[in-house]
């Protein structure tokens, strides 16, 4: 068996791994990238980009359907084959292609393909044909769709977020398992493209909001459009002539048996570290079986191992993977010295309709006694009235003592843009009064945000 000795081994060549490589390559030639599976990053291949192309098509169809309100009557026909041809072509040329071209510029001596597993704290086995001894290791191996045990026997026939964009046409019907970002975005898109779609939850929660009023508003709003069964569990899944027959037991004891042409498993993703024999790594593992790490250094305990990106299972977002890969690299270069990186305030966006966004600290992470909350409904905004898009609401959370904005939960048209304004304010430590000094043009969607901030300021002064 061949053995290679390097200073740095980077497991995974996605957003985090490539970011780490670009940093470390400036310091040394003694490094190796190890990639299992196709190159191209999760975002470009199966995540952000193809899902948004699907959503763009479904939004167009939905806009045409709603045109009569504005005096615009139109007819359209969904061509599923052309829809997926477009997604696959543009994904390959515009998104995955860019990543592949960059990977091709990396000298082959820095790359090896195969499944890496720990043999000991410094040694990795790659497919039983290569042994890599590394002084420092960066774990950036990404994640894979989680599949519940009831569906495991059918895994080769079911769809996940890793396979759904390989379809060649739209199915007649689809069950979507999950009520998180992947399930809601893709489920709503298929529904709007004419697919009979049902979304199944487990705990009764929907999306990422943590304030009870936000959760309630999202569930009520989304159920007006979508067939959502929020609470229960699947007890049986079998393949039948025209698809799949699913049995679902609700928490109140009702058994639901339905058949679908396709089933999309979208109930989250799990770290690929689970296949790397972590018990041999010498790392301290948490109750999930994943390495404990410092988010400011991405260092696992006091070890020579660092982690980044979706492999942590904590912040499966492109921009977080980008940041973490670079923090991990800088920390590894500095090791054994301690070097902290700069984290940014949290921001997460669902491209559903209405959009959802969480910024900074969510409500559940705060002490209700130490904050004031400002709230506004989207139907109060002049621009929302112009669009006849009155669904949703937003909340902002402000420190009671300093008046500094801490976080927000936003549900409605324009959430992605309001979120970026608010996260910038949080990054600069602005008070709600200082944010309100910013001009807000009339009429814009941001006037609802101004209303929520104004309520928070009023309550702050009153307290």
């Amino acid at each position: 068996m061949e053995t290679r000795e390097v200073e740095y081994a980077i497991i995974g060549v996605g957003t985090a791994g490539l970011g780490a490589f670009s940093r470390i390559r400036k310091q040394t030639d003694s490094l190796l990238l190890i990639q299992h599976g196709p190159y191209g990053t999760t975002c470009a291949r199966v995540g952000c980009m193809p899902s948004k192309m699907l959503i763009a098509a479904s939004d167009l169809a939905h806009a045409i359907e709603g045109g009569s309100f504005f005096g615009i009557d139109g007819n359209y026909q969904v061509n599923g084959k052309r829809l997926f041809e477009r997604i696959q072509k543009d994904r390959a040329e515009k998104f995955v292609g860019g990543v592949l071209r960059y990977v091709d510029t990396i000298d082959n001596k820095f790359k090896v393909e195969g499944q890496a597993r720990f043999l000991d704290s410094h040694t990795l086995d790659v497919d039983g044909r290569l042994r890599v001894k590394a002084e420092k290791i960066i774990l950036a191996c990404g994640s894979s769709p989680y599949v519940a045990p009831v569906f495991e026997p059918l895994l080769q026939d079911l769809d996940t977020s890793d396979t759904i964009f390989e379809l060649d046409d739209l199915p007649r019907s689809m069950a979507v398992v999950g009520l998180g970002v992947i399930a809601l975005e893709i489920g709503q898109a298929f529904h709007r493209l004419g697919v009979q779609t049902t979304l199944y939850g487990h705990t009764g929660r929907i999306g990422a909001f943590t304030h009870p009023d936000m959760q309630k508003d999202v569930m009520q709003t989304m159920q007006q459009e979508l067939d959502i069964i929020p609470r229960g569990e699947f007890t049986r899944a079998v393949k039948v002539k025209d698809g799949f027959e699913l049995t679902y037991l609700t928490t109140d004891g009702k058994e639901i048996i339905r058949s679908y042409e396709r089933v999309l498993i979208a109930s989250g993703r799990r770290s690929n570290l689970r296949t790397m024999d972590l018990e041999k790594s010498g790392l301290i593992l948490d109750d999930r079986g994943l390495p404990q790490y410092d988010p400011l250094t991405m260092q696992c305990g006091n070890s020579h191992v660092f982690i980044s990106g979706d492999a942590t299972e904590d912040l499966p977002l492109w921009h977080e993977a980008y940041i973490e890969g670079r923090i991990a690299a800088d920390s590894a270069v500095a090791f054994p010295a301690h070097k902290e990186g700069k984290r940014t305030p949290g921001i997460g966006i669902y491209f559903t309709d209405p959009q959802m966004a969480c910024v900074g600290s969510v409500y559940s992470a705060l002490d209700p006694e130490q904050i004031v909350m400002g709230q506004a409904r989207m139907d109060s905004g002049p621009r929302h009235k112009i669009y006849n898009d009155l669904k949703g609401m937003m909340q902002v959370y402000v420190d009671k003592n300093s008046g500094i904005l801490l976080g927000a939960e936003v549900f409605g048209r324009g959430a992605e843009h309001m979120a970026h304004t608010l996260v910038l304010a949080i990054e600069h430590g602005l008070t709600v009064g200082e944010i309100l000094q910013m001009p807000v043009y009339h009429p814009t969607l941001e006037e609802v945000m101004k209303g929520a901030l104004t309520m928070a300021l009023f309550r702050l002064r009153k307290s």
Side-chain angles (χ1 to χ4, degrees), residues 398 402-405 421 425-426 428-440 453 457 460-461:
V398 179
S402 66
I404 292 175
L405 178 67
T421 299
I426 294 172
H428 289 281
L430 298 183
T431 67
V432 66
E434 290 170 334
I435 302 169
L436 285 168
Q437 292 177 18
M438 177 184 70
V440 175
L453 292 166
L457 181 62
L460 191 66
R461 289 172 174 172

Side-chain angles (χ1 to χ4, degrees), residues 186-202:
I186 298 179
Q188 185 179 52
F190 272 92
H191 165 75
R192 290 184 168 186
L193 291 167
V195 178
Q196 181 182 339
T197 306
T198 304
L199 286 80
Y200 292 89
H202 178 57

Side-chain angles (χ1 to χ4, degrees), residues 13-271:
V13 189
T15 301
L18 287 172
F21 174 83
S22 68
R23 281 282 219 270
I24 295 172
R25 179 66 183 85
K26 297 174 183 177
Q27 307 294 325
T28 181
D29 286 343
S30 184
L31 76 163
L32 183 66
L33 290 164
I34 305 173
Q35 170 68 7
H36 182 232
Y39 292 104
T41 80
T42 298
C43 175
R45 287 190 303 104
V46 299
C48 325
M49 311 321 293
S51 65
K52 302 312 171 284
M53 287 189 277
L54 180 72
I55 291 168
S58 70
D59 283 350
L60 178 59
H62 187 69
I64 295 172
E65 284 189 357
S68 61
F69 176 86
F70 301 94
I72 309 295
D73 294 316
N75 297 310
Y76 69 95
Q77 182 176 356
V78 177
N79 186 319
K81 291 186 179 295
R82 285 173 53 194
L83 184 149
F84 280 105
E85 286 173 0
R86 179 253 170 172
I87 290 175
Q88 293 159 11
K89 180 175 182 293
D90 280 7
R91 176 184 59 178
E93 294 177 357
K94 299 177 180 178
F95 304 113
V96 175
V99 178
L100 297 183
R101 286 189 289 274
Y102 174 69
V103 172
D104 285 343
T105 67
I106 301 173
D107 195 300
N108 286 335
K109 69 181 181 181
F110 297 122
K111 298 179 290 188
V112 64
E113 296 180 16
Q115 171 70 58
R117 289 182 170 85
F118 278 99
L119 294 177
D120 59 46
S121 61
H122 283 277
T123 310
L124 299 163
D125 174 86
V126 182
D127 284 352
R129 58 181 171 80
L130 174 65
R131 187 163 291 179
V132 178
K133 293 182 176 293
E135 295 177 27
K136 306 169 190 179
I137 298 172
I138 295 177
L139 305 173
C141 53
S143 62
S144 300
Y146 168 71
V147 179
V150 68
F151 293 110
E152 286 180 352
L154 302 174
L155 182 56
Q156 297 304 313
D157 299 308
L158 302 174
D159 295 305
T160 69
S161 55
D162 281 2
T163 63
I164 191 67
F165 302 110
E166 307 309 319
L167 296 181
D168 57 13
D169 202 349
L170 290 165
R172 295 182 303 277
S173 61
M174 174 180 285
V176 179
V177 182
L179 288 179
V181 58
I182 298 171
L184 290 172
E185 286 187 352
I186 298 179
Q188 185 179 52
F190 272 92
H191 165 75
R192 290 184 168 186
L193 291 167
V195 178
Q196 181 182 339
T197 306
T198 304
L199 286 80
Y200 292 89
H202 178 57
T203 65
R205 290 187 54 79
I206 183 169
F209 296 140
T210 64
H211 193 284
D213 291 347
M214 297 295 295
Q215 272 285 315
K216 181 179 178 181
D217 198 58
V218 171
M219 184 64 78
Q220 290 179 344
T221 300
M222 300 305 285
Q223 283 186 318
Q224 290 174 13
E225 176 183 353
L226 303 173
D227 180 18
I228 297 176
I229 305 175
R231 192 187 300 269
E233 63 180 350
F234 288 96
T235 58
R236 186 169 177 265
V238 295
K239 195 171 182 180
V240 294
K241 180 180 178 181
D242 296 320
F244 305 89
E245 183 181 274
L246 306 181
T247 303
Y248 181 89
L249 185 65
T250 67
T251 52
D252 59 5
K254 180 181 179 182
E255 187 176 72
I256 299 172
I257 302 175
R258 294 183 186 177
S259 295
Y260 301 90
E261 183 178 343
R262 304 201 74 93
V263 177
L264 171 63
I265 306 297
S267 46
R269 297 178 69 89
R270 302 186 77 188
S271 174

Side-chain angles (χ1 to χ4, degrees), residues 299-436:
Q299 184 180 9
C300 299
N302 295 316
S303 77
H304 58 281
V305 179
F306 302 81
I307 189 171
S308 61
D310 292 7
T312 68
E313 281 190 9
D314 291 326
L315 294 169
L317 303 168
W318 182 91
H319 69 280
E320 295 289 357
Y322 180 91
I323 293 167
E324 289 177 356
R326 285 152 179 77
I327 292 176
D330 291 344
S331 298
V333 169
F335 182 80
H338 183 83
K339 180 178 175 59
E340 294 186 352
K342 184 182 184 304
R343 302 304 300 247
T344 57
I347 178 172
I349 298 171
Y350 285 32
F351 289 88
T352 50
D353 178 20
Q355 292 181 341
M356 308 180 206
C358 291
V359 181
S361 297
V362 294
Y363 177 77
S364 63
L366 300 169
D367 181 353
E369 299 299 321
Q370 298 302 316
I371 63 170
V372 296
M373 182 180 76
Q375 179 173 298
R377 297 203 61 85
M378 297 301 163
D379 61 12
S380 66
R383 191 68 178 276
H384 288 83
K385 294 175 181 177
I386 290 170
Y387 282 120
N388 191 40
D389 193 350
L390 310 179
K391 303 180 294 293
M393 60 187 288
M394 68 175 293
Q395 296 177 344
V396 296
Y397 313 122
V398 179
D399 183 83
K400 184 181 291 185
N401 298 311
S402 66
I404 292 175
L405 178 67
L406 301 175
E409 298 185 357
V410 188
F411 178 49
R413 179 185 281 263
E416 63 176 304
H417 305 298
M418 293 184 233
H420 280 87
T421 299
L422 294 169
V423 80
L424 186 63
I426 294 172
E427 170 69 15
H428 289 281
L430 298 183
T431 67
V432 66
E434 290 170 334
I435 302 169
L436 285 168

